[in-house]
Amino acid sequence: MTSPGDNAVTMQRVSIITGDRCCISCGFNLHGQPILREPVYQMLIVRCPECATCVAIQEYPALGVWARRWASALVATWIVGILVLVLASSIIVNAISSAMVDSASTTYGKEISREFLGTEAGREHVTTRYGGAGAVAPQHLTPNPWTPIDDAWWRAFDRKDELFARAGGYPAMLRDVTMHLFGIALTATVCGVLLAGLVPHLRGRRLLLPALAWGAVAALIAWFVLRQSQVFLYWGSWVSAQQFAAERLARPLTAIGVGLGLVVLALALQVGRPFLRWLANAFTPPRLRVGLAALWICDGKAPPSAGPPVSAPPPRRSA
């Protein structure tokens, strides 16, 4: 009598399964298993290595021209999703960088205001801007970042570095923007993890390519924003002390923000797929985890198993 093992030896090996196909009995992912031709009926089969079930290889019903259309639509959606993710995260990082400049320039702007209001010409300038003597409120004559500054006075002022040092310099600026830097790092981390799952064909150093593309987009947006926002003129009439402070801090702080985002994104791309696999193992049932086998296969790892087949409980004996 011929055993199933003897019959398997006589089968002709035709190919191997390169996609995801689950065993109809236990749900094991048959990726990488050999496709055999059964000698009696000449049928193509695959034997599951987990439960030894003989799985027939058959094509799914043809869907006509709509199958190609849906495939094209899914590919386009995939590409658009990657582009939107890169663009949206770049805009968010630049928005946080702009808020970082505003926050860091407050202290420096207050020092500029104090120096300007310490001069007779400065007090006259502010008084005139707010309607003349008797109309200006007392708080407008106290140092604050929104004091209107005479542009000619500031351009001729030769102690800018001294004022900047009095405000604490770059160390004080960075202390003021700690939460902004955390927001940039968090945004880049989320983007990197998601991108790692969206580009499964890239490994190792090639995962730096999405990071470089992201850095180019973020740098282009930063350049455009800085080019358009050099010392805005409020109502076309005056410039505040904070705006002159931001003129000095905008470029270095924006470079720090974009650079931090690029570094964190590159690191997140390297650990993104291991993190996604951990999430799948921790929160996904075994049978659903089989559908995520691409996260394992793209890195050359064995796909997840659906676990042992679940058998029905034995019938209860009647009393």
Side-chain angles (χ1 to χ4, degrees):
M1 182 175 180
T2 304
S3 65
D6 296 333
N7 192 26
V9 174
T10 62
M11 294 184 186
Q12 177 187 0
R13 178 168 175 168
V14 178
S15 181
I16 63 172
I17 295 182
T18 58
D20 294 334
R21 184 182 291 268
C22 299
C23 174
I24 59 175
S25 178
C26 67
F28 180 79
N29 194 325
L30 300 174
H31 175 84
Q33 298 301 315
I35 300 176
L36 307 174
R37 185 176 297 280
E38 192 271 332
V40 178
Y41 299 102
Q42 298 297 307
M43 294 179 60
L44 297 178
I45 64 171
V46 176
R47 189 172 296 279
C48 177
E50 289 288 318
C51 64
T53 299
C54 185
V55 182
I57 299 297
Q58 58 185 9
E59 296 295 333
Y60 292 102
L63 299 178
V65 69
W66 280 101
R68 295 190 297 273
R69 293 176 180 175
W70 281 114
S72 301
L74 288 175
V75 171
T77 303
W78 189 284
I79 296 175
V80 170
I82 294 177
L83 296 178
V84 169
L85 179 61
V86 170
L87 184 60
S89 58
S90 301
I91 293 175
I92 292 174
V93 166
N94 275 282
I96 297 176
S97 299
S98 298
M100 184 167 61
V101 172
D102 292 339
S103 178
S105 60
T106 300
T107 304
Y108 185 30
K110 191 173 182 179
E111 291 298 328
I112 296 174
S113 173
R114 179 177 289 107
E115 187 71 21
F116 184 61
L117 292 176
T119 64
E120 184 65 28
R123 290 191 295 272
E124 290 181 359
H125 179 81
V126 173
T127 301
T128 303
R129 290 297 180 186
Y130 284 105
V136 59
Q139 62 266 25
H140 295 314
L141 295 176
T142 58
N144 65 83
W146 302 280
T147 299
I149 304 296
D150 182 21
D151 181 76
W153 174 85
W154 176 249
R155 300 304 177 189
F157 188 71
D158 58 355
R159 291 188 294 113
K160 296 183 178 68
D161 293 338
E162 179 183 337
L163 287 184
F164 187 60
R166 189 192 305 170
Y170 286 110
M173 307 299 111
L174 292 177
R175 286 195 299 269
D176 291 339
V177 299
T178 302
M179 292 305 299
H180 297 83
L181 295 175
F182 174 77
I184 290 175
L186 181 62
T187 302
T189 300
V190 174
C191 177
V193 171
L194 294 178
L195 272 179
L198 291 174
V199 288
H201 59 291
L202 299 179
R203 292 188 192 176
R205 294 182 179 179
R206 295 184 64 189
L207 276 172
L208 294 177
L209 295 177
L212 295 177
W214 182 93
V217 173
L220 181 62
I221 295 175
W223 173 81
F224 179 79
V225 171
L226 291 175
R227 188 170 181 268
Q228 298 295 322
S229 61
Q230 292 298 312
V231 188
F232 291 110
L233 295 178
Y234 280 94
W235 303 302
S237 57
W238 56 271
V239 183
S240 70
Q242 186 177 16
Q243 289 174 278
F244 283 119
E247 184 181 21
R248 175 170 187 160
L249 299 175
R251 288 186 178 88
L253 289 182
T254 301
I256 290 174
V258 174
L260 176 64
L262 177 60
V263 172
V264 174
L265 180 72
L267 295 176
L269 280 168
Q270 297 297 325
V271 301
R273 285 201 286 263
F275 179 73
L276 291 174
R277 288 194 288 267
W278 176 83
L279 287 179
N281 286 326
F283 300 103
T284 307
R287 288 186 175 274
L288 294 180
R289 198 180 306 153
V290 174
L292 301 175
L295 290 176
W296 281 261
I297 296 172
C298 65
D299 286 337
K301 300 182 179 296
S305 172
V310 180
S311 58
R316 298 180 61 181
R317 296 181 179 179
S318 58

